[in-house]
Amino acid sequence: MRTQRIPTNNAQRKAASPRYAALAMACFSLMHGHLRAQQAEVRLAEVQVKGQVLDAVQPAFSVTELGRDELREQPRPEVETLWNKVPGMHVNHYHLSGVANGLVLRGFGGGGHGGDVAATLDGIPLNEATSHADGYFDLNVVVPLELDKINVYRGPVSVLQGNYNRAGLVELRTRRSGSYADLELSAGSHGLLDTQAALGRELQGGDQLNLAAQHSRGDGGRPSSGFERSTLSGHWKHQVHEKLDISLSGRWHEARGDSPGYLTEAQWRQDRQGKDAHVVGDGANKHFGTLRLDAQYALDADMRLLGFVYGTQQDFVRWFTRPRSATWMQREERYERSVLGAGLNLNGKSQLAARELNWMLGLEQVRESTDYGYWDGLVNRQRTAAALDDRNTRLNNTALYGQGSWQATGWLQTTAALRWDHFDGSCRLLGTETGSDECSRMQGRSHASPKLGALAQLNPQTAIRASWSQGFALASDFAKYALRNSELSANVFRQTELGVQWKPSGQWLIDAALYRITSSNEIRNTAPGEYENLGATVRKGAELQLHWLPSRAWHVEWAYGFNRSKVTHNADAALLGQRVVSVPQSTSTLHARWMPSPDVTVHGVLRHVGRAPINGANTEWASSYHWLDLGLQYRLPVSVARNASLNLWLRNAANAQYASTTTIIGGQRLVAPGAPRSLQLGLQFSL
């Protein structure tokens, strides 16, 4: 069920690179000054993105919805600061500039930096096949202020994604309608400076224009941890006639950053924000662009056909130093990636046995090509040996999917969905390689993933839900392109979930879920280039979302997740009964808001992260930790600015000394230090 939010007093208020910043402000001034007179009096329906029609039929599954209230409640230079609000969701921060962090969800620890979590932006997949890690995605390409909504699907319940939809799906949608002009400026400790702007205009003739920009920079809390990134995005919708709309959207992002790398645990205990002397010249550079064209045709009052085509082009290079062969070595990974996707969506409403049926059918094909280079033993970014890998990989995915939700009775809603995926691809060398990874044609593989759910509204206060869903994972990275692995089956995940939402009064909302996920046909490496299906794991957990309004001046929110996993089948007997690595036993976020007056809000956010195993045998563990954020928000008078507020936040107020990530590389226990205490001042307003 989509987690509902009790409106806070904030929610009840009225709706609310330097050259990129300059360009954004120029666009902002131009549009605000010259387009206001051209605003259309009639507001047309916005062009839908893939699967948007499913919003009304998702309550049978656990979906956390984050909207503009959460996005504008405090300065957010990065989207992933929201994940603490999702029960059981956690970010393993690496603090390596330009590199995606690890994402934990439903007992999986390989999201973001790997392929356990799927991510889309306005229907465009962000996961990268055969990139830095299979299924890697980077949310820094998104401007937080441009977002309209984020849906976090917990577990493999969404029909919109396939291979990477194991722990769940992060679906991001930008604003596509309305007239607005929003600005957000924030500055803070360690040279942090973040500027965001978002503009929406309803134009003459029913057209719609949306623009957004962000420029963010900082020096970081450790040596050699500076970063700078800029993003510009735009969307234009045009009404061809009363039944046909077309829209064009685009995005450009570029980023660079230096990285201080990891510390050994002994070094970290001596200098909590230090840097290992072996790390010289680490960092990352990235350029990312997308372009998408949509056409939406209203077949009748209850049926729409959407066609779309999109492309992504990016380059990314990373330098990273870590222990290897009794010393520390720097490696270089370089990617040039291009994606072309196209598809059709048909959605509508009809009657089945005199009851409403909402349905959607889809077809999509994605072709992804990546030029990949890997070098090791560099000295301050200078190569000293030939490439271990220098190749091009191609991965093609054709998907058919459909979902229907039927209101069987006045109190019972049932949902059924099916997704079918087919994959094929190829690999070819671009130059001489010294590594051992095979590079050949990928054998075609197909997989079907069913999903079933039911929601029972027992009374106006209580609803229970139950679902069963299936996800899968292909062999990762270059294992797909080895002929000897042609008989490998997909790793299959099956989730069973039971949930309840209870609203005993206007002051309480409680949403709880229990889940069990089993995996079979796990893929293991038996020798260089050789893999087999052998292994199984069980993940069990509980999630809780609670909202309490004890009075008009208070709002208390609690998000809690508990997980237990166990390896039930493995060729290595020492791993049997052990837990999945990098997954905390529990996570908790307690957020209290107090409004002593209508214009002042005081925030306190307490985050706790439990212990987590960091090796397969569970003999090494990362310690638990917690931190506290304190915030003060003041709404400025309307005479000063519209929808304006000042925000002052003290991050890690107690200056807790903790490791945000603990890992083992090259036999050494390494630490990514948690962020030290910092101060952040933000100004938000609308024109």
Side-chain angles (χ1 to χ4, degrees):
M1 174 171 286
R2 179 170 285 108
T3 302
Q4 299 184 26
R5 293 170 278 118
I6 296 180
T8 65
N9 288 324
N10 287 339
Q12 295 167 351
R13 297 171 187 163
K14 293 184 179 180
S17 124
R19 65 179 182 276
Y20 284 131
L23 176 59
M25 297 308 297
C27 292
F28 211 96
S29 301
L30 176 65
M31 297 303 172
H32 187 71
H34 297 285
L35 295 180
R36 177 172 291 181
Q38 302 178 20
Q39 295 177 15
E41 295 183 3
V42 179
R43 179 175 169 180
L44 300 172
E46 61 183 284
V47 174
Q48 294 186 341
V49 299
K50 180 180 73 175
Q52 192 167 328
V53 70
L54 300 182
D55 279 0
V57 299
Q58 287 298 341
F61 306 118
S62 290
V63 184
T64 299
E65 179 183 309
L66 303 170
R68 293 184 208 166
D69 293 337
E70 289 87 355
L71 288 162
R72 297 209 70 186
E73 186 175 47
Q74 58 177 283
R76 297 191 186 277
E78 299 172 340
V79 174
E80 66 180 20
T81 59
L82 287 161
W83 301 154
N84 291 337
K85 302 175 74 66
V86 180
M89 202 169 187
H90 174 64
V91 179
N92 284 320
H93 284 277
Y94 303 140
H95 296 287
L96 303 175
S97 299
V99 176
N101 293 310
L103 195 59
V104 176
L105 184 62
R106 292 250 153 145
F108 292 84
H113 206 74
D116 285 341
V117 176
T120 63
L121 176 60
D122 290 331
I124 298 178
L126 295 178
N127 298 89
E128 304 174 16
T130 323
S131 188
H132 172 66
D134 194 41
Y136 175 99
F137 66 86
D138 178 10
L139 293 182
N140 284 323
V141 303
V142 182
V143 180
L145 194 60
E146 73 177 319
L147 290 172
D148 179 58
K149 180 194 295 187
I150 302 174
N151 288 327
V152 179
Y153 298 78
R154 285 137 54 196
V157 297
S158 175
V159 76
L160 301 178
Q161 290 295 302
N163 182 32
Y164 307 117
N165 184 22
R166 308 158 200 170
L169 165 67
V170 173
E171 182 193 19
L172 303 105
R173 300 181 189 169
T174 61
R175 295 195 247 186
R176 296 299 181 97
S177 60
S179 290
Y180 55 87
D182 297 333
L183 279 169
E184 182 174 298
L185 309 172
S186 62
S189 304
H190 314 300
L192 174 66
L193 179 63
D194 183 75
T195 304
Q196 300 180 46
L199 172 75
R201 284 292 180 266
E202 296 172 347
L203 307 179
Q204 198 170 39
D207 285 14
Q208 174 73 38
L209 179 68
N210 302 86
L211 298 172
Q214 180 183 22
H215 181 75
S216 187
R217 68 164 306 278
D219 300 324
R222 298 173 62 196
S224 303
S225 58
F227 70 91
E228 186 171 9
R229 64 177 184 269
S230 301
T231 307
L232 183 65
S233 69
H235 165 257
W236 169 70
K237 187 200 74 174
H238 174 64
Q239 183 185 29
V240 179
H241 61 73
E242 61 181 8
K243 289 189 174 184
L244 177 63
D245 292 337
I246 61 171
S247 68
L248 181 67
S249 57
R251 175 177 309 273
W252 178 253
H253 167 87
E254 65 178 46
R256 61 159 299 277
D258 298 323
S259 293
Y262 292 129
L263 293 170
T264 66
E265 196 162 48
Q267 290 172 330
W268 174 64
R269 296 193 182 282
Q270 292 179 357
D271 184 355
R272 298 290 184 168
Q273 299 295 327
K275 176 187 171 186
D276 191 292
H278 294 97
V279 179
V280 179
D282 279 14
N285 296 330
K286 182 172 185 173
H287 299 87
F288 175 93
T290 63
L291 190 65
R292 175 172 171 131
L293 176 66
D294 293 85
Q296 180 176 266
Y297 185 76
L299 298 173
D300 57 38
D302 295 320
M303 192 181 306
R304 291 183 177 183
L305 177 64
L306 171 68
F308 56 90
V309 59
Y310 59 83
T312 299
Q313 192 74 37
Q314 78 171 56
D315 60 76
F316 174 57
V317 58
R318 178 199 183 193
W319 297 272
F320 175 55
T321 302
R322 77 288 188 214
R324 185 176 176 86
S325 302
T327 184
W328 287 58
M329 298 175 65
Q330 186 182 64
R331 75 185 190 213
E332 176 186 344
E333 298 164 90
R334 187 174 294 271
Y335 311 88
E336 293 185 10
R337 172 175 172 261
S338 60
V339 181
L340 180 62
L344 294 170
N345 262 196
L346 180 64
N347 59 75
K349 298 179 181 179
S350 56
Q351 296 288 313
L352 178 62
R355 295 284 184 175
E356 185 175 89
L357 173 69
N358 289 275
W359 54 270
M360 184 271 292
L361 298 172
L363 164 67
E364 185 170 3
Q365 184 171 77
V366 181
R367 296 180 175 271
E368 185 166 353
S369 174
T370 305
D371 289 348
Y372 170 66
Y374 180 94
W375 294 263
D376 210 347
L378 281 75
V379 177
N380 193 13
R381 302 190 181 185
Q382 299 300 310
R383 299 171 188 167
T384 61
L388 277 78
D389 293 300
D390 187 8
R391 56 182 58 190
N392 170 269
T393 60
R394 295 178 181 270
L395 183 66
N396 306 317
N397 177 207
T398 300
L400 297 169
Y401 48 90
Q403 178 165 315
S405 181
W406 182 46
Q407 195 69 42
T409 68
W411 58 273
L412 179 64
Q413 180 188 89
T414 59
T415 301
L418 178 67
R419 180 183 175 96
W420 177 85
D421 287 275
H422 177 78
F423 298 88
D424 59 51
S426 62
C427 177
R428 62 183 177 86
L429 300 183
L430 299 176
T432 302
E433 294 187 346
T434 61
S436 59
D437 292 318
E438 288 195 33
C439 184
S440 187
R441 182 174 60 88
M442 175 184 170
Q443 298 294 313
R445 293 176 175 84
S446 300
H447 188 82
S449 304
K451 296 112 180 5
L452 301 170
L455 172 73
Q457 189 74 46
L458 302 184
N459 55 51
Q461 294 79 33
T462 310
I464 61 173
R465 63 188 183 273
S467 65
W468 179 90
S469 56
Q470 187 182 109
F472 70 96
L474 296 178
S476 63
D477 300 321
F478 299 123
K480 295 187 287 288
Y481 303 100
L483 287 176
R484 71 183 83 178
N485 299 325
S486 59
E487 301 303 319
L488 276 179
S489 301
N491 181 192
V492 179
F493 304 92
R494 296 177 177 88
Q495 173 179 278
T496 304
E497 181 189 69
L498 181 65
V500 60
Q501 187 172 101
W502 183 42
K503 294 182 285 185
S505 69
Q507 286 74 46
W508 286 91
L509 170 64
I510 301 172
D511 188 277
L514 299 173
Y515 66 86
R516 183 178 189 269
I517 302 176
T518 62
S519 67
S520 59
N521 289 332
E522 293 181 353
I523 300 169
R524 76 182 192 108
N525 186 207
T526 58
E530 295 185 5
Y531 296 79
E532 68 175 5
N533 290 113
L534 181 65
T537 302
V538 175
R539 295 169 170 87
K540 299 179 182 179
E543 296 165 347
L544 176 67
Q545 184 89 53
L546 180 147
H547 292 264
W548 177 39
L549 275 68
S551 70
R552 293 179 61 87
W554 282 91
H555 177 194
V556 179
E557 178 182 357
W558 185 34
Y560 174 78
F562 173 84
N563 172 265
R564 285 292 181 270
S565 58
K566 183 171 69 174
V567 176
T568 57
H569 183 46
N570 196 282
D572 185 351
L575 301 184
L576 294 177
Q578 306 302 334
R579 298 177 179 177
V580 175
V581 301
S582 302
V583 178
Q585 294 178 326
S586 65
T587 59
S588 171
T589 303
L590 182 65
H591 186 172
R593 305 169 181 85
W594 174 49
M595 295 190 68
S597 72
D599 295 328
V600 177
T601 304
V602 180
H603 297 265
V605 181
L606 178 63
R607 176 70 171 175
H608 176 79
V609 180
R611 298 171 68 233
I614 59 174
N615 67 341
N618 291 183
T619 57
E620 298 281 348
W621 287 71
S623 299
S624 62
Y625 63 88
H626 57 267
W627 46 254
L628 173 69
D629 284 355
L630 299 175
L632 178 64
Q633 184 179 42
Y634 172 63
R635 184 175 62 174
L636 298 173
V638 177
S639 58
V640 175
R642 187 169 62 89
N643 293 332
S645 63
L646 276 172
N647 296 270
L648 179 64
W649 281 83
L650 184 62
R651 309 293 186 186
N652 190 7
N655 201 27
Q657 306 296 313
Y658 67 95
S660 58
T661 293
T662 304
T663 187
I664 296 177
I665 301 178
Q668 295 195 46
R669 189 175 168 111
L670 304 180
V671 165
R677 180 194 291 129
S678 63
L679 193 66
Q680 186 178 2
L681 176 65
L683 172 64
Q684 301 166 315
F685 62 94
S686 300
L687 299 176

